Amino acid sequence: MREPRTAPDAPRSPSPWAIVVALSVAATSVSFMQTLVVPIQNHLPELLDSTRSATAWVLTVSLVAAAVTTPISGRLADLWGKRRVLLVLVTLLILGSLIAALSQGLWWLLLGRALQGVSMGVIAVGISILGDLPDRKLSVTGIAFVSASLGFGGALGLPLAAWIVQVGDWKTLFWSTMALGVVNLVVVWVTVPHSPGTGRHVDVIGALGLGAGLSGILIAISQGPVWGWVSPTTLLVVLGGVLVLGVWVLFELRVDEPIVDLRQFALRPVLLTNLGATALGFSFFVMEVAYLQILELPAHTEAGLGLSMIDASMALVPASLAMMAAAPVGARVTNRYGARTSACLGAFVGAAGYGVTLLWHDEVWHFILASTISCVGVAIAYAAIPTLIMAEVPRTATGSAVGVNALMRSVGTSSGATVTGMVLASQVVVVDGTEVPVLAGFLTTFAFGAIAALACMVLVWLSKGRSKVV
């Protein structure tokens, strides 16, 4: 009698470590989108034959699209299946990069950048996939790597983008990200297993309302310095966003299957942890903006250290490498002492980095040291916060929960960039006919960064709830 076929011929499940690596690479690739156009931002008006205020949208549209669509992507992952939504997001990265690479004017470039921004949902969906891994230690380690990639990809992207522009045409930036997208699509297809969704109804009206309301507020925050904070345009846009969100909240509370379950996210542990993520995002982006500026200002100014864009970007590379190196350390602390302790420790270390620059800010190595310390802390805290969030929500809602957490972090980063810009712009002197920030302005922003990190620590510690991760 013929022997039945046995296990060796059965399809093998992907290695859990292969899933971690695939999602970490994908997250790093989409994080690259944050800083992709920074090296060419000042040249875009002449490259696109447009005004500086118009070309500022090339950076803004990607950040706003990412913030608005990430919670929606997370919810769709819960409903339609996480692998399916992940593949769609990577495909949008490829499509957006292709449109931007072929663009012949500003509007097509903005469309491509918006689609690239939407692909940032890969990080939230990837974290929720890793949260489903049966091995808790591996799950926490994977989440740590993917969370750290947010800063790692953005920081490493600066010198890489500057180098790509130097050796080739500026459109090479987008051809490069398209190639990255294709690689990621293949890797995700091969390694990430199928995950069924709940198959429930999609709250389309809620998604549109959330997108419209958030867009108004985030656009006002990012464009306020250009339009003027009390200009009719800024006030109208922010007021419109607030009104839309107010109506959206009332609508979501009456819907059986909302795009965001507000009652769940109003629970004290989830709410305070998300507010802590906002504070941490604020703290992280203060460093990204202020450190680069002080490194690049001419050496004959009060605060400047006189580095070129590439050299200043390279000075922050050790910090980005430290973020990835700190990820497994953060995972180990979380597994041993709990995610809350890990997040608080990371926030405290992040604040300590700013303490270095408050005391010493005269040499390049001062900022290399300070940024490395802060980024180690941010990496540890970023790794722990999603674990805290997912411990408080049902397994069928982890994608949505992580998406909202990513949104709160984006609100923090946008606010950090805006407040830093406002503080530096308010304390300037004229040098060689140009207004440059004074040292006192930079010290004020460093103090804000430290305070925000400490606020994160306090909020997360006070978020103790019913979760098993304490």
Side-chain angles (χ1 to χ4, degrees):
M1 188 171 63
R2 181 178 296 177
E3 292 285 337
R5 288 182 174 243
T6 54
D9 292 316
R12 291 182 297 175
S13 299
S15 162
W17 270 109
I19 298 172
V20 170
V21 172
L23 294 176
S24 298
V25 172
T28 302
S29 299
V30 297
S31 298
F32 186 35
M33 300 308 111
Q34 294 181 107
T35 53
L36 181 67
V37 297
V38 170
I40 61 170
Q41 191 71 38
N42 291 332
H43 305 289
L44 285 176
E46 47 190 279
L47 291 172
L48 298 171
D49 191 23
S50 186
T51 64
R52 186 168 295 276
S53 59
T55 57
W57 284 95
V58 176
L59 181 61
T60 301
V61 72
S62 179
L63 298 175
V64 172
V68 168
T69 60
T70 293
I72 297 173
S73 298
R75 178 59 176 162
L76 293 179
D78 291 331
L79 298 178
W80 294 347
K82 295 171 183 177
R83 179 179 184 268
R84 180 181 301 171
V85 171
L86 188 66
L87 290 170
V88 170
L89 292 172
V90 176
T91 301
L92 290 177
L93 169 61
I94 298 171
L95 179 61
S97 300
L98 179 62
I99 291 173
L102 296 175
S103 64
Q104 296 300 315
L106 178 61
W107 290 106
W108 282 106
L109 180 58
L110 291 178
L111 175 60
R113 287 288 293 159
L115 291 175
Q116 287 185 325
V118 173
S119 72
M120 285 288 290
V122 162
I123 295 175
V125 177
I127 289 174
S128 66
I129 290 172
L130 293 168
D132 292 338
L133 292 179
D135 184 336
R136 182 182 177 278
K137 288 187 176 182
L138 181 60
S139 171
V140 170
T141 301
I143 290 171
F145 276 114
V146 171
S147 298
S149 70
L150 182 63
F152 174 73
L156 199 59
L158 280 172
L160 279 175
W163 176 76
I164 288 171
V165 170
Q166 278 198 340
V167 300
D169 181 77
W170 66 281
K171 295 286 187 70
T172 309
L173 287 172
F174 303 111
W175 290 115
S176 303
T177 54
M178 191 186 80
L180 272 176
V182 172
V183 171
N184 281 303
L185 187 67
V186 174
V187 172
V188 168
W189 182 277
V190 171
T191 60
V192 177
H194 172 72
S195 54
T198 62
R200 294 176 183 171
H201 171 71
V202 177
D203 176 18
V204 176
I205 296 177
L208 293 175
L210 176 63
L214 286 176
S215 294
I217 294 173
L218 292 172
I219 287 172
I221 290 174
S222 59
Q223 292 297 305
V226 178
W227 295 339
W229 287 107
V230 293
S231 70
T233 303
T234 301
L235 295 177
L236 184 63
V237 171
V238 73
L239 180 61
V242 171
L243 289 175
V244 170
L245 279 185
V247 174
W248 173 79
V249 168
L250 296 176
F251 176 80
E252 291 294 280
L253 291 173
R254 299 171 64 89
V255 176
D256 292 333
E257 298 175 4
I259 195 72
V260 175
D261 189 341
L262 294 176
R263 293 182 179 86
Q264 188 178 84
F265 293 107
L267 295 174
R268 181 168 173 269
V270 179
L271 176 62
L272 291 182
T273 303
N274 277 330
L275 290 176
T278 304
L280 189 64
F282 181 101
S283 177
F284 178 61
F285 230 67
V286 167
M287 176 180 62
E288 290 281 292
V289 175
Y291 284 16
L292 269 179
Q293 285 201 41
I294 202 169
L295 288 169
E296 290 179 39
L297 281 176
H300 62 272
T301 61
E302 181 186 13
L305 294 172
L307 299 185
S308 66
M309 164 62 86
I310 293 183
D311 289 340
S313 301
M314 289 300 295
L316 297 181
V317 167
S320 64
L321 296 176
M323 288 193 80
M324 292 308 287
V329 176
R332 185 171 296 180
V333 173
T334 296
N335 284 321
R336 186 175 179 86
Y337 300 105
R340 182 164 287 103
T341 299
S342 183
C344 292
L345 173 64
F348 179 79
V349 173
Y354 283 109
V356 172
T357 50
L358 284 170
L359 295 174
W360 302 288
H361 39 258
D362 304 319
E363 303 287 344
V364 173
W365 72 267
H366 293 161
F367 290 92
I368 295 175
L369 175 63
S371 62
T372 300
I373 293 173
S374 285
C375 282
V376 166
V378 168
I380 293 173
Y382 269 177
I385 285 175
T387 302
L388 278 173
I389 292 291
M390 288 190 290
E392 295 291 344
V393 301
R395 187 167 182 169
T396 54
T398 55
S400 177
V402 176
V404 171
N405 180 253
L407 165 64
M408 298 297 286
R409 188 168 56 190
S410 295
V411 170
T413 57
S414 299
S415 302
T418 300
V419 170
T420 301
M422 288 173 58
V423 171
L424 295 180
S426 67
Q427 302 185 55
V428 297
V429 294
V430 177
V431 178
D432 298 332
T434 304
E435 290 185 341
V436 297
V438 298
L439 180 60
F442 284 106
L443 294 179
T444 302
T445 64
F446 301 158
F448 281 174
I451 291 169
L454 293 175
C456 171
M457 181 181 72
V458 173
L459 287 165
V460 170
W461 186 255
L462 293 176
S463 71
K464 291 183 180 180
R466 61 177 176 79
S467 70
K468 297 178 181 178
V469 185
V470 295

